[in-house]
Every structure is written in structure tokens, then in C-alpha cells.
Amino acid sequence: EADIYQTPRYLVIGTGKKITLECSQTMGHDKMYWYQQDPGMELHLIHYSYGVNSTEKGDLSSESTVSRIRTEHFPLTLESARPSHTSQYLCASSELGGEGQPHTDTQYFGPGTRLTVL
Amino acid sequence: KNQVEQSPQSLIILEGKNCTLQCNYTVSPFSNLRWYKQDTGRGPVSLTIMTFSENTKSNGRYTATLDADTKQSSLHITASQLSDSASYICVVSDRGSTLGRLYFGRGTQLTVWP
């Protein structure tokens, strides 16, 4: 069982509210990721980080922002939630593997946060 | 365009039966292929990982195969159990970028009935 945690598990909130989804891992992994997943659809990468003070945007454009002040913590923030943000948000982490080490970049996922914006 | 296609989209089988899930990909360059199991409302959990040189990998009742020439993989589940009900996701990794990007399939939703 991976040691990666997300809170809250479920969140129902009104339009315009600011929200922060928490993600923490105790495995000491350098790489962390945020994915967005709609029912029956594939995961889409929205943010990732190589380590402290490193954040990058993923493949899917997102109005959310992230920060990486500590290795173990990678929160995601929406300044003004909208119904279009309703989705499941999954956090993951992996070791910072290099070339020739394909088995070191297995991503370990948290349980997810199901966000509903009314 | 790099893609991962899975079939069938959904599958219902009776407890104790075997089943095989398919994954076709066009990702290049290829690094490795993983099968993940995602229970409803949970994050995906890795079942198997195979690199270019591996053509089969087992994890208990789960056996994955890889044909890198035809860019196809399958996940075979033996003697299915009710707890096997989940979405099974095929994920292919490339090494075309520093990130080693992952390409996700949409998953096969498996339901095991008693």
C-alpha cells in the first residue's frame, strides 16, 4: 500500500469559492503529479513537479495552481471554483529515476478527491 | 499521435471464469507498459510493468503479455473473484522527454458477478 494521502476525499462547494486540495506522501519521492479524471475517461496530467520549488503545467490546461514548498507536500488550489471544475483529482508520486532505470518511475496514486462544484 | 486504446470498454463475467483485456498503443519511443487496477473511487494501483525486452509478466492471478513488434499487450485474469471488479488501465511510457511521459488508456471496466 502506497503512503500517499489526499484530503478531502469528497468536496461539494459553491461556484466562486477558493479551494485547496491537499496531497502528501511519506515515501520521500521527488516527483509528484496531479491528474484530472472524468468518469469513464483517461487520466489527464494537469501539473507535475520534479522537487522542491519545481512546478510545471501538464498536458491538459487547468485553471488550478500548485506549489511545492516541501518534498512531501503538493497542494492544488482553485482560486474560483466553477461547475466545469467538477471532476476527480488524483495525486501521484514517483522516484526521480534516470535513464536505464525504467522500474523506478512507477507512480503511486492517492485515493483521489471527488470535487463537485454547484 | 501517441495513443493507447483498450478493449473491450466494459466486460461482465461470472466468478471463477477467466478473461483477457486488450491494449493497443502507438506510443513512440517506447519505454515500458504498465497495467493498473483502479477500484471505484480509488486511485490506480500498479499490477505489472514490462519493458521492451519482456513479453510476459505475472502477478498472482494476473498475467500480462507484451508484443512490442505489433504494439499490443493483454492482461489475463485467471479464476476471477468478486474483488477483481474494477477498471483496468493500460499505461505506456515514452522516453521522448525528460519527464518520461505516461499515456493512459480509458480503461476496461470489469464486473465479476457471483
mmCIF file of all heavy atoms in Angstrom, chain A residues 62-94:
data_model
loop_
_atom_site.group_PDB
_atom_site.id
_atom_site.type_symbol
_atom_site.label_atom_id
_atom_site.label_comp_id
_atom_site.label_asym_id
_atom_site.label_seq_id
_atom_site.Cartn_x
_atom_site.Cartn_y
_atom_site.Cartn_z
ATOM 1 N N SER A 62 -5.329 23.758 -17.219
ATOM 2 C CA SER A 62 -6.124 23.827 -15.997
ATOM 3 C C SER A 62 -5.992 25.207 -15.384
ATOM 4 O O SER A 62 -4.927 25.828 -15.444
ATOM 5 C CB SER A 62 -5.649 22.759 -15.007
ATOM 6 O OG SER A 62 -6.309 22.898 -13.768
ATOM 7 N N GLU A 63 -7.078 25.676 -14.795
ATOM 8 C CA GLU A 63 -7.055 26.975 -14.117
ATOM 9 C C GLU A 63 -6.514 26.853 -12.704
ATOM 10 O O GLU A 63 -6.387 27.848 -12.003
ATOM 11 C CB GLU A 63 -8.465 27.573 -14.117
ATOM 12 C CG GLU A 63 -8.939 27.933 -15.526
ATOM 13 C CD GLU A 63 -10.421 28.232 -15.579
ATOM 14 O OE1 GLU A 63 -11.130 27.952 -14.595
ATOM 15 O OE2 GLU A 63 -10.876 28.732 -16.625
ATOM 16 N N SER A 64 -6.175 25.655 -12.288
ATOM 17 C CA SER A 64 -5.643 25.453 -10.953
ATOM 18 C C SER A 64 -4.158 25.786 -10.910
ATOM 19 O O SER A 64 -3.491 25.884 -11.942
ATOM 20 C CB SER A 64 -5.841 23.984 -10.533
ATOM 21 O OG SER A 64 -5.198 23.120 -11.450
ATOM 22 N N THR A 65 -3.654 25.987 -9.701
ATOM 23 C CA THR A 65 -2.234 26.232 -9.481
ATOM 24 C C THR A 65 -1.730 25.273 -8.421
ATOM 25 O O THR A 65 -2.520 24.732 -7.626
ATOM 26 C CB THR A 65 -1.963 27.672 -9.028
ATOM 27 O OG1 THR A 65 -2.682 27.921 -7.818
ATOM 28 C CG2 THR A 65 -2.378 28.669 -10.089
ATOM 29 N N VAL A 66 -0.424 25.035 -8.400
ATOM 30 C CA VAL A 66 0.177 24.137 -7.416
ATOM 31 C C VAL A 66 1.396 24.809 -6.812
ATOM 32 O O VAL A 66 1.919 25.788 -7.352
ATOM 33 C CB VAL A 66 0.593 22.789 -8.039
ATOM 34 C CG1 VAL A 66 -0.627 21.974 -8.463
ATOM 35 C CG2 VAL A 66 1.526 23.012 -9.214
ATOM 36 N N SER A 67 1.857 24.255 -5.710
ATOM 37 C CA SER A 67 3.079 24.714 -5.076
ATOM 38 C C SER A 67 3.817 23.517 -4.510
ATOM 39 O O SER A 67 3.209 22.480 -4.204
ATOM 40 C CB SER A 67 2.780 25.725 -3.973
ATOM 41 O OG SER A 67 2.002 25.127 -2.952
ATOM 42 N N ARG A 68 5.134 23.645 -4.375
ATOM 43 C CA ARG A 68 5.943 22.544 -3.822
ATOM 44 C C ARG A 68 7.006 23.172 -2.916
ATOM 45 O O ARG A 68 8.156 23.370 -3.292
ATOM 46 C CB ARG A 68 6.594 21.758 -4.961
ATOM 47 C CG ARG A 68 7.246 20.456 -4.497
ATOM 48 C CD ARG A 68 6.277 19.323 -4.434
ATOM 49 N NE ARG A 68 6.865 18.104 -3.926
ATOM 50 C CZ ARG A 68 7.580 17.233 -4.661
ATOM 51 N NH1 ARG A 68 7.810 17.492 -5.940
ATOM 52 N NH2 ARG A 68 8.061 16.142 -4.110
ATOM 53 N N ILE A 69 6.595 23.485 -1.714
ATOM 54 C CA ILE A 69 7.489 24.111 -0.741
ATOM 55 C C ILE A 69 8.239 23.045 0.048
ATOM 56 O O ILE A 69 9.378 23.241 0.473
ATOM 57 C CB ILE A 69 6.689 25.034 0.195
ATOM 58 C CG1 ILE A 69 6.024 26.138 -0.622
ATOM 59 C CG2 ILE A 69 7.591 25.636 1.264
ATOM 60 C CD1 ILE A 69 5.078 27.005 0.177
ATOM 61 N N ARG A 70 7.594 21.895 0.227
ATOM 62 C CA ARG A 70 8.216 20.767 0.924
ATOM 63 C C ARG A 70 8.146 19.538 0.035
ATOM 64 O O ARG A 70 7.210 19.380 -0.754
ATOM 65 C CB ARG A 70 7.520 20.491 2.254
ATOM 66 C CG ARG A 70 7.487 21.671 3.206
ATOM 67 C CD ARG A 70 7.195 21.237 4.633
ATOM 68 N NE ARG A 70 6.139 20.261 4.744
ATOM 69 C CZ ARG A 70 4.877 20.568 5.038
ATOM 70 N NH1 ARG A 70 4.519 21.812 5.187
ATOM 71 N NH2 ARG A 70 3.970 19.607 5.166
ATOM 72 N N THR A 71 9.100 18.659 0.157
ATOM 73 C CA THR A 71 9.152 17.450 -0.674
ATOM 74 C C THR A 71 7.879 16.634 -0.562
ATOM 75 O O THR A 71 7.377 16.104 -1.554
ATOM 76 C CB THR A 71 10.356 16.566 -0.266
ATOM 77 O OG1 THR A 71 11.554 17.281 -0.491
ATOM 78 C CG2 THR A 71 10.389 15.274 -1.078
ATOM 79 N N GLU A 72 7.342 16.535 0.659
ATOM 80 C CA GLU A 72 6.237 15.614 0.890
ATOM 81 C C GLU A 72 4.872 16.202 0.581
ATOM 82 O O GLU A 72 3.879 15.492 0.649
ATOM 83 C CB GLU A 72 6.278 15.132 2.352
ATOM 84 C CG GLU A 72 6.082 16.211 3.386
ATOM 85 C CD GLU A 72 7.379 16.873 3.805
ATOM 86 O OE1 GLU A 72 8.376 16.783 3.052
ATOM 87 O OE2 GLU A 72 7.403 17.494 4.883
ATOM 88 N N HIS A 73 4.810 17.489 0.228
ATOM 89 C CA HIS A 73 3.522 18.158 0.150
ATOM 90 C C HIS A 73 3.347 18.835 -1.215
ATOM 91 O O HIS A 73 4.240 19.570 -1.650
ATOM 92 C CB HIS A 73 3.436 19.192 1.294
ATOM 93 C CG HIS A 73 2.069 19.655 1.580
ATOM 94 N ND1 HIS A 73 1.802 20.944 2.028
ATOM 95 C CD2 HIS A 73 0.868 19.035 1.523
ATOM 96 C CE1 HIS A 73 0.500 21.079 2.197
ATOM 97 N NE2 HIS A 73 -0.084 19.937 1.905
ATOM 98 N N PHE A 74 2.198 18.614 -1.859
ATOM 99 C CA PHE A 74 1.973 19.150 -3.217
ATOM 100 C C PHE A 74 0.499 19.563 -3.352
ATOM 101 O O PHE A 74 -0.282 18.907 -4.036
ATOM 102 C CB PHE A 74 2.337 18.069 -4.240
ATOM 103 C CG PHE A 74 2.438 18.548 -5.670
ATOM 104 C CD1 PHE A 74 3.001 19.770 -5.997
ATOM 105 C CD2 PHE A 74 1.996 17.734 -6.716
ATOM 106 C CE1 PHE A 74 3.117 20.179 -7.311
ATOM 107 C CE2 PHE A 74 2.106 18.137 -8.043
ATOM 108 C CZ PHE A 74 2.670 19.362 -8.334
ATOM 109 N N PRO A 75 0.114 20.674 -2.727
ATOM 110 C CA PRO A 75 -1.289 21.086 -2.771
ATOM 111 C C PRO A 75 -1.692 21.722 -4.104
ATOM 112 O O PRO A 75 -0.873 22.351 -4.778
ATOM 113 C CB PRO A 75 -1.381 22.109 -1.632
ATOM 114 C CG PRO A 75 0.007 22.663 -1.534
ATOM 115 C CD PRO A 75 0.937 21.533 -1.883
ATOM 116 N N LEU A 76 -2.957 21.569 -4.444
ATOM 117 C CA LEU A 76 -3.534 22.148 -5.659
ATOM 118 C C LEU A 76 -4.615 23.132 -5.256
ATOM 119 O O LEU A 76 -5.458 22.814 -4.412
ATOM 120 C CB LEU A 76 -4.119 21.041 -6.538
ATOM 121 C CG LEU A 76 -4.780 21.435 -7.862
ATOM 122 C CD1 LEU A 76 -4.525 20.365 -8.920
ATOM 123 C CD2 LEU A 76 -6.265 21.663 -7.687
ATOM 124 N N THR A 77 -4.604 24.325 -5.848
ATOM 125 C CA THR A 77 -5.535 25.385 -5.473
ATOM 126 C C THR A 77 -6.336 25.865 -6.674
ATOM 127 O O THR A 77 -5.784 26.048 -7.765
ATOM 128 C CB THR A 77 -4.779 26.575 -4.867
ATOM 129 O OG1 THR A 77 -4.098 26.145 -3.686
ATOM 130 C CG2 THR A 77 -5.746 27.706 -4.497
ATOM 131 N N LEU A 78 -7.634 26.047 -6.440
ATOM 132 C CA LEU A 78 -8.519 26.709 -7.409
ATOM 133 C C LEU A 78 -8.984 27.998 -6.774
ATOM 134 O O LEU A 78 -9.633 27.974 -5.728
ATOM 135 C CB LEU A 78 -9.720 25.821 -7.736
ATOM 136 C CG LEU A 78 -9.541 24.782 -8.844
ATOM 137 C CD1 LEU A 78 -10.692 23.793 -8.835
ATOM 138 C CD2 LEU A 78 -9.444 25.464 -10.198
ATOM 139 N N GLU A 79 -8.635 29.129 -7.379
ATOM 140 C CA GLU A 79 -8.967 30.426 -6.772
ATOM 141 C C GLU A 79 -10.469 30.696 -6.794
ATOM 142 O O GLU A 79 -11.017 31.298 -5.868
ATOM 143 C CB GLU A 79 -8.230 31.542 -7.503
ATOM 144 C CG GLU A 79 -6.729 31.560 -7.260
ATOM 145 C CD GLU A 79 -6.359 31.888 -5.823
ATOM 146 O OE1 GLU A 79 -7.141 32.589 -5.138
ATOM 147 O OE2 GLU A 79 -5.293 31.438 -5.357
ATOM 148 N N SER A 80 -11.136 30.246 -7.870
ATOM 149 C CA SER A 80 -12.569 30.499 -8.001
ATOM 150 C C SER A 80 -13.200 29.292 -8.703
ATOM 151 O O SER A 80 -13.141 29.170 -9.925
ATOM 152 C CB SER A 80 -12.811 31.783 -8.794
ATOM 153 O OG SER A 80 -14.202 32.032 -8.942
ATOM 154 N N ALA A 81 -13.784 28.417 -7.900
ATOM 155 C CA ALA A 81 -14.313 27.173 -8.459
ATOM 156 C C ALA A 81 -15.522 27.424 -9.356
ATOM 157 O O ALA A 81 -16.343 28.314 -9.084
ATOM 158 C CB ALA A 81 -14.689 26.220 -7.333
ATOM 159 N N ARG A 82 -15.610 26.641 -10.419
ATOM 160 C CA ARG A 82 -16.745 26.691 -11.356
ATOM 161 C C ARG A 82 -17.253 25.271 -11.590
ATOM 162 O O ARG A 82 -16.514 24.297 -11.414
ATOM 163 C CB ARG A 82 -16.315 27.306 -12.676
ATOM 164 C CG ARG A 82 -15.912 28.763 -12.602
ATOM 165 C CD ARG A 82 -16.134 29.439 -13.953
ATOM 166 N NE ARG A 82 -15.367 28.807 -15.006
ATOM 167 C CZ ARG A 82 -14.159 29.222 -15.360
ATOM 168 N NH1 ARG A 82 -13.609 30.233 -14.740
ATOM 169 N NH2 ARG A 82 -13.520 28.641 -16.324
ATOM 170 N N PRO A 83 -18.518 25.150 -12.051
ATOM 171 C CA PRO A 83 -19.067 23.800 -12.312
ATOM 172 C C PRO A 83 -18.205 22.988 -13.276
ATOM 173 O O PRO A 83 -18.165 21.755 -13.181
ATOM 174 C CB PRO A 83 -20.443 24.110 -12.899
ATOM 175 C CG PRO A 83 -20.847 25.396 -12.239
ATOM 176 C CD PRO A 83 -19.567 26.185 -12.136
ATOM 177 N N SER A 84 -17.505 23.653 -14.196
ATOM 178 C CA SER A 84 -16.647 22.930 -15.150
ATOM 179 C C SER A 84 -15.451 22.275 -14.474
ATOM 180 O O SER A 84 -14.783 21.425 -15.080
ATOM 181 C CB SER A 84 -16.152 23.876 -16.247
ATOM 182 O OG SER A 84 -15.382 24.928 -15.692
ATOM 183 N N HIS A 85 -15.190 22.647 -13.213
ATOM 184 C CA HIS A 85 -14.094 22.035 -12.460
ATOM 185 C C HIS A 85 -14.513 20.729 -11.781
ATOM 186 O O HIS A 85 -13.675 20.046 -11.190
ATOM 187 C CB HIS A 85 -13.561 23.008 -11.400
ATOM 188 C CG HIS A 85 -12.952 24.249 -11.978
ATOM 189 N ND1 HIS A 85 -13.164 25.498 -11.432
ATOM 190 C CD2 HIS A 85 -12.156 24.432 -13.060
ATOM 191 C CE1 HIS A 85 -12.509 26.405 -12.149
ATOM 192 N NE2 HIS A 85 -11.892 25.789 -13.140
ATOM 193 N N THR A 86 -15.790 20.402 -11.861
ATOM 194 C CA THR A 86 -16.274 19.158 -11.265
ATOM 195 C C THR A 86 -15.578 17.972 -11.914
ATOM 196 O O THR A 86 -15.627 17.786 -13.130
ATOM 197 C CB THR A 86 -17.795 19.038 -11.451
ATOM 198 O OG1 THR A 86 -18.429 20.080 -10.706
ATOM 199 C CG2 THR A 86 -18.291 17.682 -10.972
ATOM 200 N N SER A 87 -14.895 17.161 -11.081
ATOM 201 C CA SER A 87 -14.120 16.050 -11.601
ATOM 202 C C SER A 87 -13.490 15.310 -10.418
ATOM 203 O O SER A 87 -13.656 15.703 -9.266
ATOM 204 C CB SER A 87 -13.017 16.560 -12.529
ATOM 205 O OG SER A 87 -12.370 15.486 -13.194
ATOM 206 N N GLN A 88 -12.770 14.223 -10.745
ATOM 207 C CA GLN A 88 -11.940 13.577 -9.734
ATOM 208 C C GLN A 88 -10.496 14.007 -9.945
ATOM 209 O O GLN A 88 -10.006 13.998 -11.080
ATOM 210 C CB GLN A 88 -12.046 12.051 -9.797
ATOM 211 C CG GLN A 88 -11.128 11.352 -8.800
ATOM 212 C CD GLN A 88 -11.496 9.907 -8.530
ATOM 213 O OE1 GLN A 88 -12.456 9.412 -9.065
ATOM 214 N NE2 GLN A 88 -10.745 9.252 -7.682
ATOM 215 N N TYR A 89 -9.832 14.370 -8.851
ATOM 216 C CA TYR A 89 -8.448 14.817 -8.912
ATOM 217 C C TYR A 89 -7.579 13.795 -8.179
ATOM 218 O O TYR A 89 -7.781 13.508 -7.007
ATOM 219 C CB TYR A 89 -8.305 16.212 -8.293
ATOM 220 C CG TYR A 89 -8.996 17.273 -9.097
ATOM 221 C CD1 TYR A 89 -10.365 17.499 -8.942
ATOM 222 C CD2 TYR A 89 -8.311 18.017 -10.054
ATOM 223 C CE1 TYR A 89 -11.024 18.446 -9.713
ATOM 224 C CE2 TYR A 89 -8.954 18.973 -10.816
ATOM 225 C CZ TYR A 89 -10.317 19.180 -10.641
ATOM 226 O OH TYR A 89 -10.967 20.122 -11.413
ATOM 227 N N LEU A 90 -6.606 13.259 -8.917
ATOM 228 C CA LEU A 90 -5.719 12.232 -8.376
ATOM 229 C C LEU A 90 -4.303 12.772 -8.260
ATOM 230 O O LEU A 90 -3.778 13.363 -9.200
ATOM 231 C CB LEU A 90 -5.720 11.000 -9.274
ATOM 232 C CG LEU A 90 -6.993 10.169 -9.278
ATOM 233 C CD1 LEU A 90 -7.049 9.263 -10.489
ATOM 234 C CD2 LEU A 90 -7.081 9.338 -8.005
ATOM 235 N N CYS A 91 -3.692 12.547 -7.110
ATOM 236 C CA CYS A 91 -2.309 12.927 -6.875
ATOM 237 C C CYS A 91 -1.455 11.664 -6.940
ATOM 238 O O CYS A 91 -1.914 10.573 -6.555
ATOM 239 C CB CYS A 91 -2.187 13.587 -5.509
ATOM 240 S SG CYS A 91 -0.523 14.106 -5.067
ATOM 241 N N ALA A 92 -0.236 11.792 -7.436
ATOM 242 C CA ALA A 92 0.660 10.639 -7.529
ATOM 243 C C ALA A 92 2.088 11.090 -7.257
ATOM 244 O O ALA A 92 2.406 12.285 -7.343
ATOM 245 C CB ALA A 92 0.565 9.973 -8.901
ATOM 246 N N SER A 93 2.942 10.130 -6.928
ATOM 247 C CA SER A 93 4.353 10.438 -6.743
ATOM 248 C C SER A 93 5.202 9.294 -7.273
ATOM 249 O O SER A 93 4.719 8.169 -7.425
ATOM 250 C CB SER A 93 4.668 10.684 -5.265
ATOM 251 O OG SER A 93 4.603 9.475 -4.526
ATOM 252 N N SER A 94 6.453 9.602 -7.589
ATOM 253 C CA SER A 94 7.381 8.568 -8.048
ATOM 254 C C SER A 94 8.797 9.007 -7.717
ATOM 255 O O SER A 94 9.057 10.185 -7.470
ATOM 256 C CB SER A 94 7.239 8.314 -9.554
ATOM 257 O OG SER A 94 7.670 9.436 -10.299
#
